[in-house]
Amino acid sequence: MIANERLKSILRLVLPIVLGFGLLWWLYRDIDWGEVRSILETKLNYGVLAFSLIFGLGANVVRGLRWQLLIDPLTEGQPRPRLRNAIYTILGSYTVNMVIPRAGELWRCAEYKRREQIPFSSLLGTLITDRLTDVICLGLILVGVALANPGFFLGLLGQGRDWQGLLADLLGSPWLYLAFVLALLGFYALARLLKRHPEHRISQALHQVWAGIQSVRVMKYRGLFIIYSILIWLGYFGFFYTAFFAFPFTRELSVGVALIAFGMSALSVLVPVQNGMGAWHWIVVMTLATYGVLQTDAKSFALIVHLTQTLWVTIVGLVAIIILPITNRGYVRIQQHNTSDKQH
């Protein structure tokens, strides 16, 4: 049993990395590396590329500010948690993700709990809200881009396919409705079971998760939450689009093309690979090539930009992980609150 669990843990760690390197090898197996070297030596504007990194850092700092807004309702009546801890754990989570795929978010909640003594499950609920907000933002970006550039997406889907027929077959299948009914029955049975046993650990954990999710409803600064969300995605877009001006073959492309490439590249998070490795490159190369960028140039852009951004986020996160325990030396929020009560 222990051996099986260990094997599963190893596979969860290794498979995303292997799959990512496999996609990279497939995409770059026939590239002219001499041309890539020429771009690095004579064509790349390193100053502009370095400037683009500011947008990525700014977006992740604002992400920490936004997460703090979700956490605040969980600590009502207590001293407010340190804002720096939200920022440092956000930054550090990206570095943890580089080492252990998908583990950064859990590390973020665990480390914040350790510093601020807030239940892990409640923090997990705020994390769900945080990620759901990002999904909504990305969906709005993709819808806007699709409405503004329908030709690109119709070309991807293939105009010759009978999508209406496929949709009619799906809606006419009894298996779809059977699966829907079974899912509803399953959720109903689980809800009844947990309601009859509110003392159960799972029931208490789900209650705390739900409290975390509802934090967006009771937060004091919902307008600020929306502003932060907009700033985060503007920062991520600036992180990506500014890099266009570092290369001679992309600096003349329009903002619309950059938005399409950016929106499509964000979908790479759906592929179970390390940091979008391979999937991000393929989507960006495909989009740039559609708008006239040569394959070698598009592949060079994707390789250089992704590597630069990955190293930057990892280094910044590593610094945050190192700073986090230093800045929290001797800090215990709950004890400070209790001491304050006694003084009053």
Side-chain angles (χ1 to χ4, degrees):
M1 188 68 177
I2 297 177
N4 289 337
E5 290 299 323
R6 187 175 300 170
L7 178 61
K8 289 179 181 178
S9 299
I10 293 174
L11 289 176
R12 280 196 293 266
L13 175 64
V14 173
L15 284 181
I17 298 174
V18 172
L19 179 58
F21 276 110
L23 289 172
L24 278 177
W25 172 84
W26 175 80
L27 184 62
Y28 288 93
R29 67 190 186 279
D30 56 354
I31 192 173
D32 182 356
W33 291 103
E35 182 60 29
V36 176
R37 181 179 177 181
S38 174
I39 291 171
L40 287 170
E41 292 178 347
T42 63
K43 300 179 181 179
L44 179 61
N45 188 323
Y46 286 91
V48 173
L49 189 61
F51 179 71
S52 72
L53 304 181
I54 298 174
F55 291 95
L57 176 59
N60 287 334
V61 169
V62 175
R63 180 177 286 281
L65 300 179
R66 188 182 71 175
W67 192 35
Q68 185 78 11
L69 291 181
L70 291 171
I71 294 172
D72 281 344
L74 302 176
T75 60
E76 190 172 354
Q78 302 176 17
R80 192 177 190 228
R82 284 181 167 181
L83 179 58
R84 71 184 74 170
N85 287 336
I87 294 173
Y88 290 155
T89 51
I90 286 281
L91 297 175
S93 66
Y94 293 102
T95 300
V96 175
N97 274 334
M98 299 300 169
V99 180
I100 306 175
R102 312 291 182 181
E105 309 299 0
L106 297 178
W107 174 88
R108 186 216 301 190
C109 293
E111 195 63 24
Y112 195 87
K113 172 187 179 296
R114 178 184 176 190
R115 306 298 173 186
E116 301 292 351
Q117 301 302 310
I118 298 173
F120 178 87
S121 51
S122 295
L123 291 172
L124 191 62
T126 65
L127 178 62
I128 293 172
T129 303
D130 184 72
R131 285 310 185 190
L132 183 60
T133 303
D134 287 333
V135 170
I136 294 172
C137 291
L138 177 57
L140 291 174
I141 291 172
L142 289 173
V143 169
V145 169
L147 292 176
N149 303 272
F152 175 80
F153 290 91
L154 287 175
L156 283 182
L157 294 174
Q159 295 177 347
R161 298 181 182 179
D162 184 13
W163 293 103
Q164 291 183 345
L166 290 175
L167 181 60
D169 290 340
L170 177 62
L171 294 177
S173 172
W175 296 106
L176 174 65
Y177 301 101
L178 177 61
F180 181 72
V181 171
L182 290 175
L184 286 180
L185 291 174
F187 282 121
Y188 176 76
L190 179 61
R192 293 279 295 177
L193 178 64
L194 295 178
K195 188 175 181 180
R196 284 200 297 265
H197 302 281
E199 75 287 349
H200 196 279
R201 286 194 312 174
I202 296 178
S203 180
Q204 292 177 354
L206 288 175
H207 179 74
Q208 290 177 331
V209 168
W210 180 243
I213 294 174
Q214 285 188 308
S215 63
V216 71
R217 182 176 60 85
V218 296
M219 73 169 57
K220 296 180 181 179
Y221 306 105
R222 274 176 282 185
L224 188 58
F225 182 83
I226 294 173
I227 292 173
Y228 282 160
S229 299
I230 294 172
L231 289 176
I232 288 169
W233 285 91
L234 282 176
Y236 287 154
F237 177 67
F239 197 16
F240 180 77
Y241 180 49
T242 306
F244 272 43
F245 296 94
F247 300 83
F249 43 80
T250 53
R251 66 171 58 109
E252 300 299 328
L253 294 176
S254 68
V255 177
V257 174
L259 271 172
I260 294 174
F262 172 71
M264 294 296 292
S265 67
L267 292 176
S268 64
V269 299
L270 301 176
V271 182
V273 294
Q274 188 81 326
N275 193 38
M277 188 188 302
W280 189 92
H281 299 76
W282 178 78
I283 291 175
V284 171
V285 170
M286 176 195 65
T287 305
L288 295 181
T290 301
Y291 287 95
V293 179
L294 298 176
Q295 279 282 336
T296 299
D297 291 339
K299 290 180 180 180
S300 299
F301 173 90
L303 185 66
I304 295 169
V305 171
H306 187 271
L307 180 60
T308 302
Q309 293 183 352
T310 299
L311 288 174
W312 171 244
V313 170
T314 303
I315 292 170
V316 168
L318 183 60
V319 172
I321 291 172
I322 295 172
I323 292 175
L324 186 62
I326 297 174
T327 58
N328 282 280
R329 190 174 296 159
Y331 167 70
V332 183
R333 184 179 63 88
I334 297 300
Q335 287 185 3
Q336 288 180 348
H337 175 52
N338 292 339
T339 302
S340 176
D341 284 346
K342 290 177 182 178
Q343 290 175 347
H344 288 288

